[in-house]
Amino acid sequence: MTQQNELTIRRPDDWHLHLRDGDLLTAVLPFTANVFRRAIIMPNLKPPVVKVADAVAYRTRILKALAGDTGFEPLMTAYLTDATDADELSRGHAEGAFTAAKLYPAGATTNSDNGVTDIGKIYGVLERMEEIGMPLLVHGEVTDPDVDIFDREQVFIDNVLIPTLQRFDRLKVVFEHITTAEGVAFVEGSGANIGATITPHHLVINRNALFVGGMRPHMFCLPVAKRERHRLALRAAATSDDTSFFLGTDSAPHLVSEKESDCGCAGIFNAPSALEVYAQVFDEEGALDRLEAFASLNGPAFYGMPPNEGKVTLKRGERPADDRLTVGSEEILPFDTGKSVLWRVVY
Ligand code: DOR
Ligand code: ZN
């Protein structure tokens, strides 16, 4: 078989992205806007994006930070709290200010302190979301400190997700950044109202990457990378023909000073190489012909949006690791897979 050296796909979207705010937003946004047409923007700012007005103002700041006309479209989300008002949420959805709402179990991850303390507190909100067809985006980990950190996704499926979906069986749910074989199996066994995003880093690293020769804070994210068998299950799911799985980078920049600290922040900044790393994975799995579905078709179909008209071309050719970015007097470090990436986006 001749080797494929070039691939053109419809312009992709990123269905899970942290852009932050201020100087950090300005520094990281071009990496996404140059490649992706749309992105679901995570609302875990400080303070979080809770009200319709918060989302409208944040969207305006993102558009202002865009350099040049890339056509990039931020799709905003609401941060659910115990006090979220169903009327405010549905008004935001109707006005197009909120594409979806994000469930952070309180304390599960970065800036989740205002998250939901008990899923029962938002049943009224979930009922409304089910009624209006508004997707619920889930950080699927329990926060009980007695549950082993590597089991928190599976326990969430059993204790929270399954009972919630028994109650709200038409609710549209995106199980974000799945990291386990159990997560894959759950999504595969669910109806068309359940989708899942898979990050580039969870396709490339397993939990050993956190401890190669010492502690590696830049490989730390939440949900934390799991054993090799889980990584293999994620790779099989992403490259399968199951349309439930789609691209969501969870690119989550933090200052180097906050990563390399006594209590380092969770998050991997992968935006500079995200599409290329996915292409590498699909190439390794002999599935380059399925990259377009994962990156550009399955997500829009789940969200009920048309796929993009534009195209992106990738070429085979070694991709050097990205340099550190300077943000004011600080730095951020892009994800380095530790191995060669053999695909490059052609601009
Ligand atoms: O690693 C992560 N970083 N996981 C999350 O859920 C949040 C994110 C962030 O905002 O930094
Ligand atoms: Zn995230």
Side-chain angles (χ1 to χ4, degrees), residues 16-18 42 44 102 104 109 139 176-177 222 249-252:
H16 187 126
L17 177 67
H18 299 266
M42 287 297 131
N44 62 333
K102 179 75 190 271
Y104 287 106
T109 187
H139 183 108
E176 300 287 349
H177 42 55
L222 287 170
T249 65
D250 198 16
S251 182

mmCIF file of all heavy atoms in Angstrom, residues 16-18 42 44 102 104 109 139 176-177 222 249-252, ligand 2:
data_model
loop_
_atom_site.group_PDB
_atom_site.id
_atom_site.type_symbol
_atom_site.label_atom_id
_atom_site.label_comp_id
_atom_site.label_asym_id
_atom_site.label_seq_id
_atom_site.Cartn_x
_atom_site.Cartn_y
_atom_site.Cartn_z
ATOM 1 N N HIS A 16 -14.410 21.296 23.134
ATOM 2 C CA HIS A 16 -14.089 21.482 24.569
ATOM 3 C C HIS A 16 -12.788 22.267 24.685
ATOM 4 O O HIS A 16 -11.714 21.734 24.441
ATOM 5 C CB HIS A 16 -13.941 20.133 25.265
ATOM 6 C CG HIS A 16 -13.775 20.254 26.747
ATOM 7 N ND1 HIS A 16 -14.584 19.586 27.657
ATOM 8 C CD2 HIS A 16 -12.909 20.968 27.502
ATOM 9 C CE1 HIS A 16 -14.213 19.883 28.878
ATOM 10 N NE2 HIS A 16 -13.187 20.720 28.819
ATOM 11 N N LEU A 17 -12.904 23.528 25.083
ATOM 12 C CA LEU A 17 -11.713 24.390 25.070
ATOM 13 C C LEU A 17 -11.737 25.393 26.219
ATOM 14 O O LEU A 17 -12.763 26.013 26.489
ATOM 15 C CB LEU A 17 -11.668 25.162 23.741
ATOM 16 C CG LEU A 17 -10.543 26.173 23.567
ATOM 17 C CD1 LEU A 17 -9.182 25.471 23.500
ATOM 18 C CD2 LEU A 17 -10.756 27.012 22.308
ATOM 19 N N HIS A 18 -10.574 25.565 26.863
ATOM 20 C CA HIS A 18 -10.405 26.622 27.872
ATOM 21 C C HIS A 18 -9.574 27.739 27.256
ATOM 22 O O HIS A 18 -8.426 27.520 26.871
ATOM 23 C CB HIS A 18 -9.678 26.083 29.111
ATOM 24 C CG HIS A 18 -10.423 24.976 29.782
ATOM 25 N ND1 HIS A 18 -11.294 25.206 30.836
ATOM 26 C CD2 HIS A 18 -10.475 23.650 29.541
ATOM 27 C CE1 HIS A 18 -11.818 24.044 31.210
ATOM 28 N NE2 HIS A 18 -11.342 23.090 30.444
ATOM 29 N N MET A 42 -15.209 26.782 27.579
ATOM 30 C CA MET A 42 -15.514 26.406 28.959
ATOM 31 C C MET A 42 -15.705 27.652 29.837
ATOM 32 O O MET A 42 -15.006 28.654 29.663
ATOM 33 C CB MET A 42 -14.401 25.519 29.519
ATOM 34 C CG MET A 42 -14.433 24.140 28.937
ATOM 35 S SD MET A 42 -15.968 23.280 29.367
ATOM 36 C CE MET A 42 -16.460 22.668 27.768
ATOM 37 N N ASN A 44 -15.294 28.078 33.177
ATOM 38 C CA ASN A 44 -14.707 28.071 34.534
ATOM 39 C C ASN A 44 -13.683 29.188 34.737
ATOM 40 O O ASN A 44 -12.553 28.952 35.139
ATOM 41 C CB ASN A 44 -14.108 26.698 34.876
ATOM 42 C CG ASN A 44 -12.980 26.271 33.961
ATOM 43 O OD1 ASN A 44 -12.912 26.684 32.809
ATOM 44 N ND2 ASN A 44 -12.087 25.436 34.466
ATOM 45 N N LYS A 102 -22.436 23.529 31.494
ATOM 46 C CA LYS A 102 -21.392 22.629 31.981
ATOM 47 C C LYS A 102 -21.617 22.272 33.438
ATOM 48 O O LYS A 102 -21.791 23.160 34.289
ATOM 49 C CB LYS A 102 -20.032 23.329 31.826
ATOM 50 C CG LYS A 102 -18.829 22.527 32.323
ATOM 51 C CD LYS A 102 -18.441 21.408 31.383
ATOM 52 C CE LYS A 102 -17.406 20.474 31.999
ATOM 53 N NZ LYS A 102 -16.041 20.865 31.758
ATOM 54 N N TYR A 104 -19.825 21.000 36.551
ATOM 55 C CA TYR A 104 -18.631 20.674 37.320
ATOM 56 C C TYR A 104 -19.091 20.227 38.698
ATOM 57 O O TYR A 104 -19.626 21.047 39.458
ATOM 58 C CB TYR A 104 -17.737 21.906 37.511
ATOM 59 C CG TYR A 104 -16.993 22.359 36.290
ATOM 60 C CD1 TYR A 104 -17.389 23.500 35.596
ATOM 61 C CD2 TYR A 104 -15.876 21.668 35.835
ATOM 62 C CE1 TYR A 104 -16.697 23.926 34.475
ATOM 63 C CE2 TYR A 104 -15.178 22.088 34.710
ATOM 64 C CZ TYR A 104 -15.592 23.220 34.041
ATOM 65 O OH TYR A 104 -14.912 23.635 32.933
ATOM 66 N N THR A 109 -12.265 19.949 39.930
ATOM 67 C CA THR A 109 -11.142 20.369 39.101
ATOM 68 C C THR A 109 -10.925 21.876 39.219
ATOM 69 O O THR A 109 -11.481 22.521 40.111
ATOM 70 C CB THR A 109 -11.394 19.928 37.632
ATOM 71 O OG1 THR A 109 -10.232 20.194 36.855
ATOM 72 C CG2 THR A 109 -12.596 20.629 37.028
ATOM 73 N N HIS A 139 -18.347 17.126 33.446
ATOM 74 C CA HIS A 139 -17.053 16.700 33.976
ATOM 75 C C HIS A 139 -17.369 15.479 34.834
ATOM 76 O O HIS A 139 -17.866 15.615 35.950
ATOM 77 C CB HIS A 139 -16.385 17.800 34.794
ATOM 78 C CG HIS A 139 -15.018 17.385 35.286
ATOM 79 N ND1 HIS A 139 -13.858 17.897 34.775
ATOM 80 C CD2 HIS A 139 -14.644 16.448 36.193
ATOM 81 C CE1 HIS A 139 -12.812 17.310 35.354
ATOM 82 N NE2 HIS A 139 -13.271 16.431 36.231
ATOM 83 N N GLU A 176 -17.590 14.620 28.821
ATOM 84 C CA GLU A 176 -16.381 15.305 28.341
ATOM 85 C C GLU A 176 -15.113 14.534 28.707
ATOM 86 O O GLU A 176 -15.060 13.845 29.723
ATOM 87 C CB GLU A 176 -16.309 16.717 28.941
ATOM 88 C CG GLU A 176 -17.492 17.603 28.584
ATOM 89 C CD GLU A 176 -17.492 18.075 27.139
ATOM 90 O OE1 GLU A 176 -16.477 17.900 26.437
ATOM 91 O OE2 GLU A 176 -18.530 18.615 26.705
ATOM 92 N N HIS A 177 -14.119 14.709 27.862
ATOM 93 C CA HIS A 177 -12.770 14.154 28.057
ATOM 94 C C HIS A 177 -12.780 12.798 28.752
ATOM 95 O O HIS A 177 -12.236 12.645 29.849
ATOM 96 C CB HIS A 177 -11.858 15.135 28.800
ATOM 97 C CG HIS A 177 -12.466 15.871 29.963
ATOM 98 N ND1 HIS A 177 -13.066 15.234 31.017
ATOM 99 C CD2 HIS A 177 -12.559 17.192 30.235
ATOM 100 C CE1 HIS A 177 -13.496 16.133 31.873
ATOM 101 N NE2 HIS A 177 -13.204 17.330 31.424
ATOM 102 N N LEU A 222 -6.987 16.832 34.653
ATOM 103 C CA LEU A 222 -8.114 16.094 35.236
ATOM 104 C C LEU A 222 -9.216 15.938 34.199
ATOM 105 O O LEU A 222 -9.526 16.919 33.525
ATOM 106 C CB LEU A 222 -8.646 16.827 36.469
ATOM 107 C CG LEU A 222 -7.736 16.731 37.702
ATOM 108 C CD1 LEU A 222 -8.204 17.684 38.792
ATOM 109 C CD2 LEU A 222 -7.681 15.299 38.237
ATOM 110 N N THR A 249 -10.441 19.179 22.648
ATOM 111 C CA THR A 249 -9.033 19.129 23.070
ATOM 112 C C THR A 249 -8.841 19.236 24.577
ATOM 113 O O THR A 249 -7.866 18.771 25.118
ATOM 114 C CB THR A 249 -8.228 20.282 22.431
ATOM 115 O OG1 THR A 249 -8.739 21.535 22.936
ATOM 116 C CG2 THR A 249 -8.303 20.232 20.909
ATOM 117 N N ASP A 250 -9.774 19.921 25.258
ATOM 118 C CA ASP A 250 -9.569 20.300 26.662
ATOM 119 C C ASP A 250 -8.244 21.036 26.836
ATOM 120 O O ASP A 250 -7.601 20.918 27.886
ATOM 121 C CB ASP A 250 -9.642 19.089 27.597
ATOM 122 C CG ASP A 250 -9.870 19.497 29.055
ATOM 123 O OD1 ASP A 250 -10.277 20.650 29.294
ATOM 124 O OD2 ASP A 250 -9.634 18.664 29.943
ATOM 125 N N SER A 251 -7.829 21.768 25.811
ATOM 126 C CA SER A 251 -6.614 22.582 25.963
ATOM 127 C C SER A 251 -6.833 23.543 27.127
ATOM 128 O O SER A 251 -7.806 24.291 27.148
ATOM 129 C CB SER A 251 -6.340 23.351 24.668
ATOM 130 O OG SER A 251 -5.155 24.099 24.790
ATOM 131 N N ALA A 252 -5.942 23.490 28.119
ATOM 132 C CA ALA A 252 -6.183 24.198 29.387
ATOM 133 C C ALA A 252 -4.882 24.833 29.874
ATOM 134 O O ALA A 252 -4.157 24.240 30.672
ATOM 135 C CB ALA A 252 -6.738 23.227 30.420
HETATM 136 ZN ZN ZN B 2 -11.944 21.114 30.445
#
